[in-house]
Amino acid sequence: YNGRLYQFNSQTKKVEEDGSAWVDVRYDAFDMSQSVDGKEVPIGGKEGAEGEAPFKELIGKTASMHFQKDGKLLEVAAPPEGGAAPPLDKIFGQMEGIFPNHPVQIGESWTKKVELPVEGIALKMSADFENTLIAFEKVGKRNCAKIKSVLKFSLPEGAITPQGGENALNISMKMEGGGELWQYFDVAEGMVVKTQGSTQTTSTQTVTVPAAEGAEAQTLTNVSTIDMRF
């Protein structure tokens, strides 16, 4: 998730009449290291071991999670004691865009609109998925549903730093993009085992520098495009 590794085991404990399910998720390992342009990305504003510490405390602990039948995470009913808030709610929350809420046949399509969290800021990205069940294929020994997802996503322009008074440096950003994903879903174990695809994201960041006395404020804008293939 976001270039970081969460290793966990999950076990379905109960399936309700409406098709929703209760799943116990046990945290096994974390690798929170991440870098951009050779620079380490802080975790919650903290670097290195200090940033990883709250996640390490979760290893071996279990969270009880409630999922709707289309994969939407409804709640984390019993988060583990101590440590950070369960990060798996962000990971599993993204799965909502993949699955239908009704049986589908090969060649049939369905659409989803979801909100995705953006790490480090309060804004949420909206994403539109158009999914199609292409075929059933083997991935190793696994019998998988091959799902094609065409997506468009956007992050509306908004502040990512607090105002902090008249002398604060104000930063805002907006983002938009799209792509195509191929998801391979193990129908027996209920999990995505392989993902391939590409996305293109255009990000616009605007920085407003407070004006000195008798001068005008300066506004700097940076536009960048990122192509990803995986």
Side-chain angles (χ1 to χ4, degrees):
Y1 173 75
N2 282 353
R4 291 168 174 161
L5 172 67
Y6 301 93
Q7 183 174 322
F8 54 89
N9 278 306
S10 60
Q11 182 179 28
T12 301
K13 305 297 289 187
K14 182 181 180 181
V15 178
E16 304 286 2
E17 290 184 3
D18 62 2
S20 65
W22 292 91
V23 179
D24 281 354
V25 178
R26 188 186 75 238
Y27 299 75
D28 289 336
F30 295 96
D31 182 356
M32 302 300 294
S33 59
Q34 185 183 43
S35 63
V36 175
D37 294 332
K39 297 181 179 179
E40 182 180 2
V41 177
I43 307 166
K46 300 178 181 179
E47 296 184 356
E50 185 180 6
E52 287 193 337
F55 294 90
K56 299 294 186 184
E57 293 178 10
L58 292 172
I59 293 176
K61 297 181 179 179
T62 300
S64 178
M65 311 178 83
H66 189 196
F67 293 92
Q68 197 167 279
K69 65 180 180 179
D70 65 353
K72 180 179 181 180
L73 177 61
L74 298 174
E75 62 178 318
V76 181
E81 296 179 0
L88 292 180
D89 57 356
K90 296 181 180 179
I91 302 170
F92 284 112
Q94 296 188 63
M95 294 173 65
E96 178 188 355
I98 303 172
F99 306 110
N101 54 17
H102 60 279
V104 294
Q105 298 180 350
I106 292 177
E108 188 173 349
S109 299
W110 63 97
T111 59
K112 289 283 184 176
K113 186 179 182 68
V114 299
E115 287 189 339
L116 307 176
V118 180
E119 187 173 5
I121 62 177
L123 302 175
K124 287 189 175 182
M125 178 182 293
S126 63
D128 293 292
F129 291 80
E130 182 178 355
N131 306 302
T132 304
L133 177 60
I134 301 299
F136 287 93
E137 294 184 2
K138 289 284 188 179
V139 177
K141 295 183 179 181
R142 299 175 183 270
N143 183 32
C144 295
K146 182 180 181 181
I147 301 171
K148 177 183 177 181
S149 299
V150 178
L151 68 150
K152 295 181 180 180
F153 50 86
S154 63
L155 180 73
E157 185 171 6
I160 60 174
T161 56
Q163 295 298 317
E166 61 181 15
N167 294 321
L169 187 70
N170 294 319
I171 304 175
S172 65
M173 71 175 297
K174 67 177 180 179
M175 189 182 301
E176 59 184 4
E180 184 176 283
L181 305 178
W182 295 87
Q183 309 272 3
Y184 294 82
F185 179 74
D186 186 323
V187 294
E189 296 193 19
M191 61 185 294
V192 175
V193 297
K194 181 181 177 181
T195 301
Q196 295 176 313
S198 62
T199 61
Q200 183 178 78
T201 306
T202 300
S203 175
T204 303
Q205 189 174 64
T206 302
V207 179
T208 301
V209 181
E213 186 175 352
E216 295 183 357
Q218 291 184 325
T219 300
L220 308 175
T221 301
N222 178 64
V223 180
S224 60
T225 299
I226 301 174
D227 289 303
M228 295 183 63
R229 288 174 172 78
F230 45 90

